[in-house]
Structure formats: structure tokens, C-alpha cells
Amino acid sequence: MSTNVLAQNASPSGDRGRPVIELVGMSKWFGSFQVLKDIDLRVYEGERIVVCGPSGSGKSTMIRCINQLETHQEGEVIVNGEAFGSNVANNDLIRRDIGMVFQQFNLFPHLTVLENCTLAPIWVKEMPKAQAEALAMSLLERVRIPEQAAKYPLQLSGGQQQRVAIARALCMNPKIMLFDEPTSALDPEMINEVLDVMIELAESGMTMIVVTHEMNFARRVADRVIFMDQGEIVEEAPPAAFFDNPRFDRTQLFLSQILHH
Amino acid sequence: MSDSTLVTTDEASKALVFKPKPPRPAPPSTVGVAGWMRANLFSSVPNTLLTILGAYLVYSFFSMLINWALINAVWEADNRRECLDLVGRSGACWPGVVEWLPNLIYGLYPKDQVWRINFGFLALIAWAVPLWLPGVRSKVAIGLSAVLIYPFLASYFFMGGEKGVIWTLLIALGVTGFVWVWLTTITEMRYGLPFTRVMAGILGASGKPEEAQRSYGRASMGALFLISLIVVTQWELPEVQTRFWGGLFLTLVISGIGITFSLPAGVLLALGRRSKMPLISLLSTTFIELFRSVPLITILFMFNTMLPLFLPVDVEVNQLLRAIVAVCLFAAAYMAEVIRGGLQAIPKGQYEAADAMGLGYWQSITLIIMPQALKIMIPTIVGNFIGLFKDTTLVSIIGLFDLLSMSRAVGEDSRWLGLFIEPFFFITLIYFLFCFLMSQYSINLERRLAAGARR
């Protein structure tokens, strides 16, 4: 059995309060194709969830629904007790608590690393420029690339860009961080530098939902692993149980395909 | 093996140490001027022959041109007959062009009022100079004021006449804007502070809170406006009707307004066409497709002859204004499609990242999307500007004397009858100069903005 120190520390038994994220009976269609089928999920403060599954299983769509980059058609998405609705201004307010890191980094290529980080604090939170820059520098130090602050994103390696993207998301001081396959577009040599930053973030108690194929990361960091297929949550379990005793044949097949080759 | 890549260490247990080979310079025959010429001009026998032939053609063309335009040219004569008697057709007859030069530049604008045009354009240059000066920080405000406030000042200088109350206020605004631009340029270059702050300091508000400093700044701007207002009411320029406008001046007025209007209007139309709101999208698309599918000349005719039919009898819209509106709308429709092309080149991830960070629609458009879209489209946007600049020649069809029709008038003058080639040659140089400068500026701009793409 694998040890999971983090998971034991962070999820005290008993009352865990109100979940920070609640997906209630959420369904979504692309045209007539149903990508998400009655998703129910509760995530509590400080929890770290890893979502895995074959491509096309709806895992990216699901976390993109959590900050409403994709809109769902049925059910509810509730963040910090507030449901996303038709009020655009209110939705933007709910979003401020959610940081997101993308597979393709999505840094702004026309702005320097520092400007990428200070943009949202200055324009969304109306923070004074000097304060925003100090904040950005402290977070760039946290992801260990303060020396790149004056460069443009395309001058950096993929791993460095992804770490900037993490720092940029953290600049808004989010309560929840979403990671959508953060290491899938990286060269193998750069995956670890990004995972190290994510592990450090997890250790600091951030609520995280990570879509990834990095199973070692899941084993080490996750409180729960969620396996999705065909738009449904097939199985969710703590990593030890998930990897050693998967209950469904579909999960077993998936794990055998990605773990043994 | 002296440059071996692998060096073994003494101990067998240690790993081999990898030493990369040092880079060597490229073979000399492939670099430098000689290498370039060998690769591009003399790479083979046919290529060498083509190079020699091409050089001969270039030489003979330019020697002919220089002979005609300079060496055989006549510089002093009273009429075209004298020119022809002196050199026949082998040399250019420049005196006609020289005599008509003021008309080619200013049209039929009264000679004693021409200083107003010069002053107007110098004011524009002076307005824009701070944009290139180091240490000036209010560049956005200065640029915006040049686009939004300068036109009031310029149009009064060019048109003159009675000022109503509204015009008096607008001209005073223009004067205030101009004075502010230079005061703030000077204070920012010397003290690193905008003019309003320095004024607040002089008035003794430097230690006071932010809000107090701002109100002192506003008060000093108000005082500046009042002074301008008093000055403006003191002078009046005689009216010059727009039918006397012409030549390069008219060309610059029409194309300048067209260019300044088409960019923001094009941005809004492009955003409108991509809007998720059906009505806005439908209206923008209809406008764009309507104006793009009709030749500019037709639009000019429509505005010139048909628009008055739809307006009440006593409403008279100036002919120049009608032409300018037609050019603006036409240019905006084209610009909208250029900008839409730029918008489509921006990856979806950029919108998503902006959304995920909580930026609103206009914030993501102005901070993230437009800067990138406009940058990608600089060559096409400037190409459109150049096209618009040349398209203004079409206004001659509805009876406006732009540069082209003014140059045609030279050959219709009884003393210079038939003198067409020389004025055309002259305005060709003018058109080339302006278009070339625009294209050079765009290349320069691209290079400066390429920072983000540099690896």
C-alpha cells in the first residue's frame, strides 16, 4: 500500500463543513451529443482531487464547467455556496475565486511575464501597480522563476511557461485551483519542474482539481482519484484503494493500459 | 583523437563525462557579400546571364529617366511652346509644374490664407511629436487627444468663418488640448510628473491627499480652458468655402479623416459581426457586406446625387462632407474584415485565459485580444490605408479637385496646353513618397512590436 501522508493530514474525519465545489446532477451536450451525464461531485476545502480517464471521457469539459468556460445545460454548479446563473456580473465574481491552468499555458504573448501576472490584479481587483508587482514577484519566486520576470512568454521553455501560468493564476489569490492536463504539452524533461510546484501548492493546503495522466502525482498528492468514462464518473476512491483495488472492470482496463507497458 | 566527444575517467565506477564539440564557423564561401552574390546572382551560367541582362535593363531605364527628367529638362520658360522649341519631347518641361505648384498643393485656396493650411498641418505634427519623445508617459492621452480634439482645431483653421457658441467652445477645447499636450510633455520630461500634478504642487497641494491634488489639477485645466476661450473669442478667420479646397491638401484631408475613422469603426464592426447578440451581428454583417459589394465610385455617386433627394429641401449637406462620409463608411467596411481576420487568428485559449482570470468582455478585448489582432494585421491594415489614400483620387469624379484632378488642370491651362506627363510624373512622386513612408512606418512598427514573438 502506498503511503499518503498528505491525504491523511488534510482530510479530517467527521464534519468537513460545506463543500467549496458542488456539482449537482450536471449534464452537458455539444449539439445533440451528451458529453456529461448527471455529474455529482462534492469537493471540500483543502481537498486535492485528481481526475483521470480516456480522452473524450469529458474530464476536461467537467472542470471547465466548474469555472463556466463551458456552460452546462442541466443541474447546478455551486462554488462557495453560490450557484452560477444567468447573471454575468455575478458569475465573474464567483470566477475570481477559481484559478485555472491550461494544457497550452495560454499566457499572453504580447505581455512580459510580470505583466501577465499583474494584469488581472490591476484590472479586475484594481490593485495599485506597485503592490501588484510586488505580489507577482513573490509568486514568481514561489514558482522559482523570478529572474524571468522581464522576458516574454515565448522566450521561455514550456516548463517555465507553465510555472508562469500557475503564478499568474495564484496572483488572483484564488481559493480553488483547476489544472487541465498541465503537463501534457511539456517535454519529458520539464514535467517534474511543474509537478514540483504543484506538489508544493498542494502541501500549502490549496483546494485543487487536477486532470492529469501523471499517476505518480495522483498517488502522492491526491485525496481522491476520480475516474471518468463516456461522460460519467465511474469510480472515485482514495488513491491507495483506486490503484490497488479498482472496483470496476473499466477502471482496471484503463489502469492496466496506462501503467503497464 | 584530440577532439573526441567522450573522455573516460580513471575510475570505472564513475559515469562517462559528455563533452559537446565546440561549434566551428560556417564555410567562408557561404557567408558575407561574396557568399550572398554567389548564391543569388551567379549560381549558374543562365543565372549569371540573367543577372547581366537585368542589370542592363535597370541601367538603361534609369539613364533614360534621368536624361528626360533632369539632363534634357527645361527649367525656365513662359509657356509650353518655348519648351517644345528648346528640346522637343526629349526633355521634361518643368516650368508649368512649378507655376502650378501652389495649386497642386493647396488647390484654389486663397493665396493670402494658405498659411492656415500650413499651420494646421504643423499643429498636427507638433501634436504628435511628444509620442516619440523619451520620458513622456501620457502617450495614450496625447494620442487620443490628437485623434479626438485636434480635428476641431484643424477644421476651424481650414474653414474659418463665423463661430457659433458651440464652435467657440470646441475650438477653445482644441487650443486647450494643444497647450496641455506640450505643457505635460515638458513637465514629464523635466520632472517626471504630468502638468496637472506640477500645477497642484505649485498651488501648494503637494502634501495634501490624492483627491485634493486631483481637484487642483482639474482647476488648473479649467483655468487653461477659460484662458483659451477668451483668446478664441478675440480672433476670427475669414471663411474659405470647401469648394476652394483642393490639391494635396484635399487629398490629405479626405484620406486622413478616412484613415482615422476607419480603424476604430472597423474594430467595432468586426466585434459586432462576431457578437453573440443576433441583432448586432446581423446589422454589422449587413453593413459590411453592403458597402463591400459596391464599388467606391458608386457609393460616392450615391452620396453625392441621391442623398440630397432623401433629405428635406432646406437641409444642404456640404459636397466635401458627403464625399468624406462615403469614403469613411467604405473604408470602415473593408477595415472591419481585415480586423476580423486578425481576431480569427487569436487562439481560443487567449479568450479562455482572460475569462478564467475574471476579465470582463471589454477588458479582454482591449487588453488581450485587440493588441494581438492588430499587431498581426499591421501589414494588411497599412495596406488598406495606402489603398484608401490612393482611392481618394476617385472624388475627382464628383467634381472635387484633389491632387489628381488638379494635375490634370495644368494641361488645360491655355499657356501649358497639353502638359500632362510632367504634372503626372510629379504627383506620382508625391503619391509614392506618402505611400512609401506609410509602408516603411508599418515595417518599423512591426519590428518594434515583434518583441513578444522573439525567441
Side-chain angles (χ1 to χ4, degrees):
Chain A
M1 223 188 99
S2 69
T3 55
N4 196 332
V5 183
L6 288 169
Q8 285 157 7
N9 287 347
S11 31
S13 52
D15 180 33
R16 295 200 278 183
R18 206 191 155 99
V20 283
I21 301 171
E22 277 180 278
L23 306 182
V24 186
M26 183 182 73
S27 291
K28 177 174 177 60
W29 288 261
F30 284 134
S32 59
F33 175 73
Q34 190 171 9
V35 276
L36 293 176
K37 299 170 187 163
D38 285 325
I39 301 284
D40 284 298
L41 180 69
R42 285 183 163 68
V43 180
Y44 294 88
E45 192 171 346
E47 259 199 311
R48 291 158 301 254
I49 311 285
V50 164
V51 185
C52 60
S55 61
S57 59
K59 51 195 191 309
S60 282
T61 312
M62 182 185 78
I63 76 161
R64 287 157 61 86
C65 280
I66 294 174
N67 69 350
Q68 292 287 289
L69 284 183
E70 305 276 3
T71 49
H72 58 287
Q73 279 105 19
E74 268 180 18
E76 277 196 283
V77 176
I78 303 164
V79 175
N80 288 323
E82 289 239 39
F84 277 108
S86 52
N87 184 342
V88 178
N90 193 43
N91 289 353
D92 278 346
L93 276 179
I94 303 176
R95 261 183 187 161
R96 285 192 198 181
D97 285 336
I98 313 172
M100 181 147 189
V101 174
F102 300 86
Q103 181 178 356
Q104 299 294 341
F105 328 135
N106 294 352
L107 294 174
F108 305 131
H110 61 300
L111 301 176
T112 62
V113 164
L114 187 66
E115 287 165 343
N116 263 280
C117 294
T118 57
L119 185 88
I122 289 175
W123 290 93
V124 178
K125 286 193 165 171
E126 291 173 8
M127 192 183 278
K129 195 175 170 206
Q131 193 189 337
E133 282 179 353
L135 170 71
M137 283 313 294
S138 73
L139 287 163
L140 286 172
E141 256 158 53
R142 189 166 166 194
V143 300
R144 295 190 279 281
I145 36 173
E147 71 282 0
Q148 311 285 6
K151 286 197 183 165
Y152 286 92
L154 292 179
Q155 295 168 318
L156 306 184
S157 73
Q160 290 172 324
Q161 290 190 52
Q162 195 60 298
R163 286 187 281 150
V164 173
I166 295 172
R168 179 178 73 172
L170 291 176
C171 275
M172 284 299 279
N173 195 19
K175 297 196 175 74
I176 302 154
M177 284 286 283
L178 307 176
F179 293 82
D180 187 0
E181 304 205 22
T183 56
S184 300
L186 296 176
D187 289 339
E189 286 189 274
M190 310 193 162
I191 290 176
N192 278 336
E193 66 186 57
V194 172
L195 290 181
D196 286 346
V197 169
M198 289 169 64
I199 290 168
E200 189 270 323
L201 197 60
E203 283 168 353
S204 75
M206 175 69 76
T207 311
M208 293 163 72
I209 301 185
V210 185
V211 173
T212 187
H213 296 298
E214 295 295 328
M215 289 301 128
N216 288 330
F217 173 80
R219 247 183 222 277
R220 179 158 171 206
V221 171
D223 297 307
R224 272 187 287 159
V225 182
I226 289 177
F227 174 70
M228 289 182 71
D229 189 30
Q230 317 229 0
E232 288 182 63
I233 293 179
V234 177
E235 182 157 355
E236 68 177 272
F242 180 82
F243 288 110
D244 301 334
N245 296 307
R247 288 188 297 144
F248 284 84
D249 55 343
R250 185 66 192 88
T251 318
Q252 288 168 5
L253 178 68
F254 176 76
L255 286 175
S256 72
Q257 274 165 344
I258 62 165
L259 293 178
H260 311 292
H261 42 89
Chain B
M1 293 288 281
S2 59
D3 60 344
S4 162
T5 55
L6 296 171
V7 178
T8 48
T9 51
D10 302 337
E11 295 166 62
S13 61
K14 271 196 181 170
L16 299 174
V17 177
F18 169 67
K19 268 197 185 168
K21 286 180 188 170
R24 287 185 297 127
S29 64
T30 59
V31 292
V33 179
W36 183 87
M37 284 175 70
R38 195 184 320 234
N40 294 295
L41 299 177
F42 305 106
S43 60
S44 65
V45 175
N47 210 341
T48 310
L49 289 176
L50 278 177
T51 302
I52 293 168
L53 180 70
Y56 172 72
L57 286 177
V58 168
Y59 165 77
S60 49
F61 174 76
F62 277 101
S63 65
M64 243 161 61
L65 193 70
I66 288 166
N67 269 330
W68 176 80
L70 298 175
I71 296 172
N72 292 343
V74 178
W75 295 95
E76 272 175 57
D78 250 354
N79 53 50
R80 185 150 184 259
R81 192 71 257 153
E82 276 183 33
C83 283
L84 290 174
D85 289 344
L86 278 168
V87 292
R89 289 179 190 281
S90 67
C93 180
W94 292 121
V97 177
V98 173
E99 197 183 304
W100 275 79
L101 194 60
N103 299 91
L104 289 173
I105 306 292
Y106 303 109
L108 303 174
Y109 212 86
K111 290 230 161 35
D112 58 336
Q113 300 294 321
V114 156
W115 66 271
R116 282 158 53 176
I117 297 179
N118 296 337
F119 187 87
F121 280 94
L122 283 177
L124 178 60
I125 293 169
W127 208 301
V129 161
L131 296 176
W132 283 274
L133 291 177
V136 179
R137 279 186 285 162
S138 313
K139 283 186 179 170
V140 175
I142 292 172
L144 278 178
S145 70
V147 173
L148 298 175
I149 299 178
Y150 165 78
F152 299 125
L153 195 62
S155 42
Y156 184 68
F157 259 92
F158 298 157
M159 286 192 295
E162 290 240 335
K163 308 187 284 273
V165 177
I166 296 171
W167 265 110
T168 310
L169 291 174
L170 288 177
I171 299 160
L173 183 68
V175 174
T176 314
F178 184 76
V179 174
W180 170 79
V181 164
W182 271 97
L183 286 175
T184 213
T185 300
I186 291 165
T187 56
E188 282 182 10
M189 284 177 74
R190 289 215 51 183
Y191 312 109
L193 283 171
F195 166 68
T196 46
R197 278 300 147 92
V198 173
M199 278 312 284
I202 291 171
L203 295 170
S206 46
K208 292 184 181 167
E210 179 73 14
E211 198 43 46
Q213 291 212 19
R214 283 219 184 127
S215 54
Y216 274 94
R218 271 197 291 272
S220 49
M221 287 306 288
L224 201 58
F225 180 75
L226 276 181
I227 296 168
S228 319
L229 198 60
I230 292 163
V231 173
V232 166
T233 48
Q234 295 307 307
W235 48 258
E236 186 169 307
L237 297 166
E239 187 182 359
V240 179
Q241 288 184 348
T242 52
R243 62 195 166 92
F244 296 113
W245 296 20
L248 178 63
F249 164 56
L250 185 70
T251 297
L252 288 178
V253 165
I254 298 174
S255 56
I257 295 176
I259 284 170
T260 359
F261 176 83
S262 69
L263 193 60
V267 166
L268 290 179
L269 281 171
L271 291 174
R273 189 168 185 168
R274 284 165 61 93
S275 167
K276 289 199 183 85
M277 285 176 267
L279 184 67
I280 289 177
S281 164
L282 181 74
L283 287 177
S284 312
T285 311
T286 313
F287 177 89
I288 292 168
E289 293 303 333
L290 193 71
F291 275 86
R292 258 190 350 146
S293 51
V294 179
L296 176 56
I297 209 162
T298 318
I299 297 174
L300 282 170
F301 265 128
M302 292 266 288
F303 273 76
N304 195 36
T305 57
M306 288 181 67
L307 198 63
L309 299 180
F310 297 115
L311 292 173
V313 186
D314 53 338
V315 176
E316 201 189 332
V317 182
N318 179 301
Q319 195 191 19
L320 175 63
L321 188 62
R322 277 178 278 175
I324 287 174
V325 170
V327 166
C328 281
L329 296 181
F330 181 80
Y334 267 86
M335 193 54 74
E337 287 299 276
V338 169
I339 288 166
R340 195 167 66 95
L343 288 175
Q344 251 142 0
I346 306 300
K348 211 170 146 236
Q350 295 287 309
Y351 293 89
E352 289 177 349
D355 279 352
M357 287 159 65
L359 293 172
Y361 175 77
W362 288 107
Q363 283 178 337
S364 40
I365 290 295
T366 51
L367 299 170
I368 310 295
I369 306 301
M370 271 305 155
Q372 297 185 59
L374 293 178
K375 195 176 97 183
I376 302 171
M377 298 315 278
I378 285 173
T380 328
I381 290 171
V382 176
N384 258 27
F385 287 167
I386 290 174
L388 177 64
F389 182 69
K390 293 183 296 183
D391 279 351
T392 54
T393 49
L394 288 174
V395 300
S396 61
I397 304 250
I398 57 168
L400 294 176
F401 280 89
D402 75 315
L403 188 53
L404 179 67
S405 35
M406 222 57 219
S407 74
R408 219 181 278 133
V410 180
E412 283 155 13
D413 180 347
S414 57
R415 279 166 53 223
W416 305 102
L417 209 61
L419 190 77
F420 289 113
I421 296 174
E422 286 83 350
F424 281 156
F425 186 81
F426 175 70
I427 66 161
T428 304
L429 289 182
I430 293 184
Y431 276 112
F432 176 78
L433 183 73
F434 276 89
C435 296
F436 183 72
L437 286 178
M438 278 194 262
S439 103
Q440 285 304 302
Y441 183 67
S442 106
I443 291 169
N444 174 286
L445 202 60
E446 269 178 74
R447 220 172 272 153
R448 273 190 294 149
L449 295 180
R454 218 186 294 128
R455 271 179 180 272

